[in-house]
Amino acid sequence: MPKRVVFFGILVAAVLFSSPARAGMDTISKESDLPYHIKADSLDYDEITMTYRARGFVTLARGDQFLHADAADFNEQSGDAKAWGNVRFFSGKDWLTGSRMEINMDDGTGTVYDGTVFIEESHFYIRGDEIKKTGKDSYYIKDHASLTTCDGDSPDWQITGKDFKVTIEGYGTVKHAALWAKSVPVLYAPFILFPAKIKRQTGLLVPLVLYSNTNGFEYIQPFFWAISESSDATFYGHYMAHRGFKHGGEYRYVLSPGAKGTAMYDFLYDKQIDDGTTPVDPQGYYYEGFGGDSEDRLNRKRWWFRTKSDWELPAQFKAKLDLDLVSDQDFLREFDTGYSGYEISNKYFEKEFGRGLDDKTDTVRLNQLNLNRTWDQFSLNTDLLWYDDVLARIHHRDDTTLQRLPSVSFSGSKQKILDSPFYFDLSSSLNHYWRETGTRGYTVDLSPKVYYPTTVFRCFDFEPSVGLHETLWQAEEYDPPSARKEDQLRSREIYDLQADLSTEISRVFDIRGSTIDKIRHAIRPQVVYTYVPDVEQGDLPDFVSSISETNSLSYSVLNTFTSRRIQKADSEREAELEAKTWGAWPADTPEETSEADEEQESLPPKYSYHDFCRISLSQTYDILTARHPPPADGERRPFSDIAGRLELHLFQSVDLDFVGNATWSPYDGEYKSYDAAVLFSNSRGDEASLDYRYTQDSSESILTRVFVNLFDTLSAYWEHEHNLKDRKEIKSVLGFTYEPQCWSFSLRYTHDRTTNKREYFFQISLYGLGKYDLGEYKPGEGSDTWMKKG
């Protein structure tokens, strides 16, 4: 959800005095109030005027409220108080300063002269010659009012004006308002109305300005509506000079951490169509169309609806709803940026619901309603799965996509069978397959499996298992009708056998480093034999998956390197003992050093463990292929490609992570595929990543991303994706962000050659007046091959 910051807030003390005092320090209280403590060089009470007079370094305290001044008077009958000379008032983390203050302690009204008010929660500074408190939460400044969130006497930006009125948790107004950048006025408005709420507030958010060759000049203005404590909405007006006006809206609600939902919708009446030509509209704008596919896009009414919801139901059941419907195959690829674009929508759903959208290039999109219940070792899932074939829908083609309406599955995790040495797991499902064109029907699958884990020669782990795959099916409608078979319930039974043999060899190396004292190297070889018999399956309808005959031996070896780090002391006493033992904290006597050493040795050591390197190799030998005669056009190849994987997760203050995968053919003597991903990051926040992929006779590409904090306030981002096989650039991005303490300026250029789109992004945010989180990309996010740190 958008982040909002309070526009204004002022808190002034309600200092109450009642009973007389006759010394330099005294306590004054009312029956219903906490006592006030007054300290001053001198403190007198005038019984005639009923006035307390405090002079010299006056301090008045009550709870977390403190008032300091050179002098102060208080009339206990009227409740009027005056303080002057370096007046400073603190309430929690908020504070107020001025040369003089006059206030009625009973109703809280009064005036602060030459005053400054600071509100910690919103980081707002409000200044004025006379700041009048007109009510409990209302303030007025007639002349020379200013507002900013910048620290210092010379703020980077501020808003000034006259007749400044504001009510906390209400609204404020300013006449003759001017926006200043340092000492330069950049914007003037005769009148401004703004919300002044500490909580979420309804109002305009920061606009977004872009330019691209396909859309022309773009202006996006979001409007936020705080409907209630548990729901809100955002509306978007997106003007595109070449395309038209796109409307968008989001609705969000949160009833509890497990019950929430978000719905988003966009609509555009597009000035342009994509019919394979290069049209020019009446204004002379050049539109290249979308070059990512060979399909035309002739519709002008374009839209996208997506929603995700989570619900908590009775009896510990839970439900999830995912909908993703789009007007055409090009919409998500053409409008992937901006507040309501695909990239931000996908990241929002991943963050809030833990599940994102289908890729923007997918033309068959999943819509799902899920009802589930989980026990300790069993789970039940009921799904309605609808795959929307966008191209078949908009071009009125035969839709052969299989839908599962419904799909019910029940599964059990691996668990012990009573007190026996055997274990079992279970998977089962009931599916109704429906489609507009093609054969439809029902299936029932039941797959139990029994395991017998044991130890051989006290050093090998051996686990044989046997499983059964029982499938029942019945077709309810055949397409074409000539394919009809007997309308009866049919079945298939297949068993499988598996034997898993493994062991682990390890050694611990004593490093005795300053941070790492030991490294453990573990080698785990493993051999798995799998057998599935050959069963006749030629009469299966296409909605029943076949199970292939298998007779294979897979073998692998995994190397794991684990470091043990000595953790830092997590208490003051442990830190003191450690410092005295190692000399960083001088002890008073040698005896004290010896005592600290003994006491520290008596404490249990604390360590952290880190898998910093993993190396694996694996291969499969196909016994079936070895027994069959060689094909007429070649040799038998029972050995699969050798698959290797390397993971490195190094360092602490500077992270260097590497993941590499490769497959090598023992027959051709060459690599069939390989990829590598590298991520570098440091404590400054700099990050860099490189993702390289190669598949023989198919593709070769490299993706590089770099994010660098050039200075404390200036950062740069660069992204480049290149097709090495075709020697073509895919996408380039270059951006800069200048971010001082109280505002930011962002500029980004994107050239996406798959969509023939060049885009210029521009944004200025004044913190406190609204900053919308765009979910900016940084290296290490969004790459499907990216590693997780060990």
Side-chain angles (χ1 to χ4, degrees):
M1 296 186 182
K3 297 179 181 177
R4 287 159 191 88
V5 186
V6 183
F7 277 86
F8 290 90
I10 302 177
L11 183 61
V12 179
V15 185
L16 303 176
F17 302 79
S18 62
S19 48
R22 303 179 188 81
M25 183 173 181
D26 209 336
T27 299
I28 308 171
S29 65
K30 285 188 176 181
E31 186 175 332
S32 60
D33 298 319
L34 293 174
Y36 282 89
H37 301 279
I38 301 178
K39 182 179 179 180
D41 290 347
S42 65
L43 181 63
D44 299 319
Y45 178 70
D46 189 332
E47 296 183 356
I48 299 177
T49 60
M50 305 179 68
T51 300
Y52 290 90
R53 295 186 177 88
R55 300 292 184 270
F57 297 101
V58 179
T59 297
L60 174 65
R62 182 194 186 197
D64 65 345
Q65 297 179 342
F66 298 88
L67 174 65
H68 303 279
D70 292 342
D73 291 345
F74 173 69
N75 187 292
E76 66 172 338
Q77 185 175 23
S78 64
D80 293 329
K82 296 181 180 180
W84 60 93
N86 298 315
V87 177
R88 292 164 294 151
F89 173 74
F90 300 87
S91 179
K93 295 183 179 180
D94 302 332
W95 52 262
L96 176 152
T97 63
S99 61
R100 182 162 55 97
M101 180 174 71
E102 298 175 358
I103 189 168
N104 185 278
M105 300 303 175
D106 294 334
D107 59 19
T109 60
T111 304
V112 178
Y113 297 90
D114 301 320
T116 298
V117 178
F118 175 74
I119 308 301
E120 168 67 22
E121 186 173 359
S122 61
H123 207 86
F124 266 92
Y125 294 91
I126 302 173
R127 296 180 175 90
D129 293 345
E130 292 185 14
I131 303 176
K132 294 185 177 181
K133 191 171 187 295
T134 57
K136 180 180 179 181
D137 294 306
S138 301
Y139 304 89
Y140 172 75
I141 304 175
K142 183 177 181 180
D143 297 307
H144 305 105
S146 70
L147 164 71
T148 186
T149 57
C150 302
D151 297 333
D153 296 331
S154 179
D156 289 345
W157 70 266
Q158 62 178 329
I159 294 177
T160 62
K162 298 182 178 181
D163 288 335
F164 174 95
K165 299 178 182 178
V166 62
T167 300
I168 304 303
E169 290 301 324
Y171 289 87
T173 61
V174 181
K175 295 181 179 179
H176 301 290
L179 173 64
W180 295 74
K182 285 292 186 179
S183 59
V184 179
V186 296
L187 186 65
Y188 169 81
F191 181 81
I192 291 180
L193 172 68
F194 59 90
K197 301 184 179 183
I198 295 176
K199 301 177 181 179
R200 298 173 307 149
Q201 66 252 1
T202 297
L204 297 175
L205 302 179
V206 176
L208 185 64
V209 178
L210 305 97
Y211 177 84
S212 67
N213 61 321
T214 57
N215 300 338
F217 172 78
E218 299 182 58
Y219 180 85
I220 307 175
Q221 179 60 68
F223 176 82
F224 178 77
W225 178 23
I227 301 173
S228 66
E229 290 293 328
S230 60
S231 65
D232 57 44
T234 306
F235 302 96
Y236 302 95
H238 185 175
Y239 169 77
M240 293 174 284
H242 295 186
R243 312 298 292 275
F245 199 88
K246 184 161 72 77
H247 307 271
E250 302 175 13
Y251 172 74
R252 297 166 291 266
Y253 69 90
V254 177
L255 304 180
S256 69
K260 57 186 178 180
T262 299
M264 304 179 183
Y265 180 74
D266 291 275
F267 177 83
L268 166 69
Y269 188 85
D270 203 336
K271 294 180 182 180
Q272 306 291 354
I273 61 174
D274 183 5
D275 59 0
T277 66
T278 306
V280 178
D281 71 5
Q283 285 75 33
Y285 295 129
Y286 181 76
Y287 173 65
E288 297 182 22
F290 178 74
D293 58 41
S294 59
E295 299 284 348
D296 292 341
R297 196 270 303 162
L298 304 179
N299 57 302
R300 294 188 181 273
K301 294 181 179 179
R302 311 182 68 185
W303 48 267
W304 181 30
F305 176 76
R306 61 275 190 205
T307 183
K308 292 187 185 293
S309 296
D310 293 344
W311 300 300
E312 294 177 331
L313 305 177
Q316 299 183 17
F317 276 87
K318 296 181 180 181
K320 298 178 181 181
L321 175 65
D322 296 338
L323 296 179
D324 185 1
L325 301 168
V326 66
S327 62
D328 56 81
Q329 76 277 10
D330 294 342
F331 188 96
L332 304 184
R333 289 177 282 190
E334 289 191 56
F335 304 108
D336 59 343
T337 58
Y339 287 150
S340 60
Y342 171 84
E343 298 295 341
I344 289 180
S345 297
N346 186 47
K347 288 180 181 179
Y348 171 81
F349 284 128
E350 286 181 343
K351 178 181 178 181
E352 296 298 327
F353 295 90
R355 54 191 191 275
L357 301 166
D358 290 339
D359 190 82
K360 61 184 177 183
T361 61
D362 290 343
T363 58
V364 178
R365 310 192 68 78
L366 173 63
N367 298 271
Q368 178 179 9
L369 175 61
N370 171 265
L371 177 67
N372 66 83
R373 171 73 159 86
T374 302
W375 294 268
D376 290 341
Q377 294 179 311
F378 295 94
S379 63
L380 172 67
N381 279 275
T382 302
D383 292 283
L384 296 175
L385 299 169
W386 179 274
Y387 294 90
D388 180 34
D389 189 331
V390 178
L391 291 175
R393 170 165 50 83
I394 66 175
H395 293 296
H396 307 289
R397 301 170 183 169
D398 291 339
D399 191 351
T400 60
T401 306
L402 274 174
Q403 319 292 351
R404 285 188 280 173
L405 304 170
S407 174
V408 181
S409 64
F410 181 78
S411 61
S413 61
K414 190 175 179 181
Q415 54 196 281
K416 198 169 186 179
I417 303 176
L418 301 178
D419 293 330
S420 71
F422 296 96
Y423 289 75
F424 87 98
D425 61 22
L426 171 70
S427 63
S428 60
S429 65
L430 167 65
N431 297 281
H432 172 225
Y433 291 98
W434 183 94
R435 56 186 164 194
E436 183 179 319
T437 303
T439 304
R440 312 167 189 170
Y442 300 86
T443 64
V444 177
D445 289 285
L446 179 65
S447 300
K449 196 166 189 176
V450 178
Y451 305 83
Y452 178 64
T454 186
T455 301
V456 179
F457 304 124
R458 297 197 297 182
C459 61
F460 291 96
D461 295 325
F462 180 62
E463 185 179 71
S465 62
V466 56
L468 174 67
H469 302 276
E470 174 75 27
T471 303
L472 305 175
W473 76 88
Q474 182 174 5
E476 63 177 357
E477 182 173 335
Y478 287 91
D479 189 7
S482 60
R484 176 178 295 276
K485 300 178 178 62
E486 296 181 9
D487 291 333
Q488 63 181 7
L489 187 66
R490 304 172 68 85
S491 67
R492 175 192 63 191
E493 297 81 23
I494 299 181
Y495 69 89
D496 72 83
L497 301 175
Q498 191 173 80
D500 187 332
L501 180 67
S502 64
T503 188
E504 183 174 290
I505 306 169
S506 65
R507 180 180 177 182
V508 177
F509 298 90
D510 195 355
I511 303 300
R512 297 185 181 181
S514 58
T515 57
I516 299 177
D517 68 335
K518 296 179 184 298
I519 291 180
R520 180 178 182 266
H521 176 207
I523 303 175
R524 182 177 180 81
Q526 184 178 29
V527 179
V528 179
Y529 173 75
T530 304
Y531 175 76
V532 179
D534 183 22
V535 177
E536 176 60 36
Q537 304 177 70
D539 61 346
L540 293 178
D542 60 358
F543 59 79
V544 179
S545 300
S546 63
I547 300 177
S548 302
E549 179 186 9
T550 304
N551 191 359
S552 65
L553 192 67
S554 299
Y555 36 91
S556 63
V557 59
L558 172 64
N559 289 265
T560 304
F561 296 85
T562 305
S563 64
R564 189 175 80 169
R565 293 178 175 271
I566 304 172
Q567 287 186 335
K568 294 183 178 180
D570 55 3
S571 69
E572 293 185 4
R573 181 55 180 166
E574 290 180 14
E576 180 181 349
L577 293 172
E578 181 178 328
K580 287 184 177 181
T581 299
W582 295 97
W585 186 333
D588 294 335
T589 63
E591 291 77 10
E592 184 178 343
T593 301
S594 177
E595 292 174 0
D597 193 4
E598 293 177 0
E599 185 177 349
Q600 187 183 40
E601 289 181 356
S602 66
L603 296 175
K606 294 185 178 181
Y607 304 101
S608 63
Y609 298 88
H610 176 59
D611 293 339
F612 66 89
C613 179
R614 291 178 181 174
I615 306 173
S616 64
L617 292 172
S618 63
Q619 189 181 35
T620 297
Y621 177 74
D622 191 336
I623 301 174
L624 288 177
T625 303
R627 289 178 175 177
H628 290 169
D633 57 349
E635 60 177 332
R636 282 191 301 245
R637 293 192 171 191
F639 289 98
S640 71
D641 294 340
I642 299 174
R645 181 177 177 87
L646 170 63
E647 298 181 33
L648 292 173
H649 309 287
L650 305 177
F651 309 115
Q652 291 293 316
S653 59
V654 176
D655 290 336
L656 180 61
D657 295 345
F658 172 86
V659 171
N661 298 279
T663 58
W664 185 82
S665 171
Y667 300 102
D668 299 330
E670 60 183 2
Y671 287 100
K672 295 297 183 179
S673 67
Y674 45 86
D675 61 73
V678 183
L679 172 65
F680 166 83
S681 63
N682 58 25
S683 57
R684 284 175 13 108
D686 303 324
E687 295 187 6
S689 68
L690 185 146
D691 195 341
Y692 173 81
R693 300 184 184 188
Y694 167 80
T695 302
Q696 190 181 53
D697 302 327
S698 176
S699 63
E700 184 178 12
S701 64
I702 185 169
L703 173 62
T704 306
R705 297 185 177 103
V706 178
F707 178 85
V708 180
N709 289 301
L710 301 174
F711 305 102
D712 291 341
T713 58
L714 181 63
S715 61
Y717 173 70
W718 176 67
E719 175 184 335
H720 184 76
E721 186 173 6
H722 194 85
N723 186 329
L724 299 176
K725 178 178 175 56
D726 299 332
R727 297 183 179 181
K728 293 181 180 179
E729 291 187 4
I730 300 175
K731 186 177 181 180
S732 298
V733 180
L734 179 62
F736 296 90
T737 298
Y738 179 68
E739 189 171 11
Q741 175 259 327
C742 57
W743 65 283
S744 68
F745 168 77
S746 297
L747 180 66
R748 186 177 66 227
Y749 168 75
T750 301
H751 186 189
D752 189 343
R753 287 167 175 80
T754 62
T755 58
N756 302 316
K757 185 177 181 180
R758 295 180 178 88
E759 182 179 80
Y760 301 87
F761 165 93
F762 168 81
Q763 185 183 55
I764 293 180
S765 296
L766 304 180
Y767 300 162
L769 297 185
K771 180 186 179 184
Y772 195 85
D773 185 4
L774 285 177
E776 288 296 322
Y777 181 86
K778 284 190 178 183
E781 300 177 3
S783 175
D784 58 359
T785 63
W786 202 253
M787 73 291 289
K788 292 184 178 179
K789 298 181 181 179

